[in-house]
Amino acid sequence: MTSVEPNSLVRGAGVALWRQIEQAVEAEIAERRLAAGERLPTEHALADRFGVNRHTVRQALASLEERGLVRVEQGRGTFVHDDPVDYAVRKRTRFSETIRRQNREPNSRLVRAESRPAEAAIARPLGLRKGDTVILLETVGEADGRPISIASHYFPAARVPDLIAAYRAEQSITRALARCGVPDYTRKSTRVTARLPTAEDARALRLPRSRPVLVAENLNIDQEGRPIEISIARLAAERVQLVFEP
Amino acid sequence: MTSVEPNSLVRGAGVALWRQIEQAVEAEIAERRLAAGERLPTEHALADRFGVNRHTVRQALASLEERGLVRVEQGRGTFVHDDPVDYAVRKRTRFSETIRRQNREPNSRLVRAESRPAEAAIARPLGLRKGDTVILLETVGEADGRPISIASHYFPAARVPDLIAAYRAEQSITRALARCGVPDYTRKSTRVTARLPTAEDARALRLPRSRPVLVAENLNIDQEGRPIEISIARLAAERVQLVFEP
DNA sequence: ACGTATTTGTTCGTATGTATC
DNA sequence: GGATACATACGAACAAATACG
């Protein structure tokens, strides 16, 4: 199964047992003998294998988790951290394109589509007044079947009144906007922060409530420089890295 | 003290009590009668004032927290959310400058300075080999006395051997690099993710372990395009917004 | 280092009104 | 009408984090 032997531990040699265990597991991960996403043996099994108490194993795993190499899930087990997806943020960032560039299979599905009055925080950057009608499209983005992001896209209804129908026909925001008379749009600014997920975020991302999400608020403008979209994406932080290259 | 009256609630009028409480508190915040950062009355006191059960108050506060208007801290109280600092990420981003532009008083202090062999994750982007010597400067950045970031800055020791002494003399990375023969440097790329803070991060940022930090990994290059610095900044997510404008 | 008081967090249980099938 | 699900509201008790002397 694995090549870590009980006798690889040295007792009473100045290096704590749990640090030796930590290094042994770390080496297995570095050498890809434990693949990304793979489940480690149970704490009990590791304790047996190394001939130590389970507490000693737990200390090693806690340190590995703190350093971000593994992820411990109560009741399920301990897993090697998956490789995060790089999400490149450029002037023209399209979800499916950036995922495909990393040899992963993108998928996007609509979870909400409606018209509604805009809150102040949405209206202002769009150049509207609070209460003006905006169209909200909410989409969940996946890479290789793993949910990566849930994004709320807001558009001024006056500019693109038929956007919902267009989206249903095209299954793509870029193409739906084109059909509504907005052939191109680019990113004006991005604001990034992080928080713990709401119940809805956690459900859509299949993420424990205790694991943070990145929140990326994006303002997109059309060719004439007019605001055309605000998108607020919540990204599972442990599965994504936002990459900015000027 | 405050002007919210018990009789401001209407029972059995189609609007849930907790929503009425939510709106009352929201109005106080909007009108600045509750200032940013200020502590709200205790749940017990609010329950008394509105003449409802504590659960009902808690539901209102939970909704306000979900929407980002307040921040609840176990054992301490509920606080109006402070205005987050905008941290602009540009080609030439200097901490003190971006903070000062928002009429806040920046402060930076050194918490660690040492030479050490580079780990693989540091060495590779710097164009070094694992084990080559790097200089590590660790700084805590504050705005108006509130800790915002703890950042680990790695430099190739071969390029700037006297950096630690230079930093002690100059108290600024930009000026210390200039003194070591690097008159200018710019940002090549930034990678952003988020996680829960380590014990050390939490202590330096005076942040509960349960609140996420943004992790911004920055690669800086000199005028000739050679890598000169990797900085890994952990930012208290609830106090900062990273702003990218191309 | 320790106990105490304060404050939020969690989990029981109970009851009521409303909407839906 | 009956059955069911759901959101709302209240009460009591205890757990956990924090502040303070």
Side-chain angles (χ1 to χ4, degrees), chain A residues 86 190-193 237 242 244, chain B residues 86 190-193 237 242 244:
Chain A
D86 282 0
T190 302
R191 309 171 83 83
V192 181
T193 185
L242 291 172
F244 295 87
Chain B
D86 282 0
T190 302
R191 309 170 83 83
V192 181
T193 186
L242 291 173
F244 295 86

Side-chain angles (χ1 to χ4, degrees), chain B residues 30-232:
Chain B
E31 297 162 16
R32 301 272 166 182
R33 301 221 308 283
L34 282 167
E38 192 176 335
R39 214 192 80 177
L40 270 62
T42 67
E43 296 174 351
H44 185 76
L46 287 172
D48 270 6
R49 178 180 305 166
F50 287 105
V52 299
N53 190 276
R54 185 161 79 100
H55 286 303
T56 312
V57 169
R58 282 177 61 75
Q59 188 146 10
L61 294 180
S63 176
L64 288 168
E65 173 166 50
E66 177 128 319
R67 294 170 48 208
L69 276 80
V70 303
R71 151 180 54 92
V72 184
E73 290 187 34
Q74 185 173 13
R76 300 227 306 133
T78 305
F79 302 82
V80 179
H81 221 300
D82 315 277
D83 294 336
V85 178
D86 282 0
Y87 192 113
V89 183
R90 309 239 169 112
K91 222 162 170 354
R92 272 178 197 73
T93 302
R94 309 296 184 248
F95 175 75
S96 59
E97 191 194 327
T98 188
I99 300 301
R100 224 186 301 273
R101 208 174 335 183
Q102 294 181 66
N103 301 319
R104 301 188 197 241
E105 190 53 34
N107 180 38
S108 177
R109 66 173 199 278
L110 188 69
V111 294
R112 183 174 296 167
E114 62 187 40
S115 293
R116 55 148 81 176
E119 298 167 31
I122 301 299
R124 197 176 321 113
L126 278 178
L128 304 178
R129 279 195 227 123
K130 183 181 159 189
D132 285 355
T133 305
V134 290
I135 290 173
L136 164 61
L137 297 178
E138 211 158 75
T139 57
V140 172
E142 300 178 344
D144 289 344
R146 221 165 32 132
I148 296 296
S149 70
I150 173 169
S152 305
H153 306 264
Y154 296 90
F155 308 85
R159 275 290 305 280
V160 287
D162 300 322
L163 187 67
I164 292 179
Y167 185 91
R168 292 199 193 280
E170 296 283 0
Q171 295 293 312
S172 147
I173 287 175
T174 306
R175 291 196 298 273
L177 281 173
R179 188 186 269 231
C180 292
V182 183
D184 192 23
Y185 62 99
T186 56
R187 181 174 67 92
K188 170 121 187 292
S189 68
T190 302
R191 309 170 83 83
V192 181
T193 186
R195 55 167 169 78
L196 294 181
T198 67
E200 192 196 341
D201 293 340
R203 195 170 350 101
L205 294 171
R206 295 205 294 274
L207 196 70
R209 294 284 310 256
S210 60
R211 312 217 167 239
V213 290
L214 283 164
V215 182
E217 188 181 317
N218 227 56
L219 175 60
N220 287 324
I221 55 177
D222 64 11
Q223 288 171 310
E224 283 82 46
R226 286 175 299 181
I228 190 66
E229 178 198 12
I230 297 251
S231 70
I232 300 175

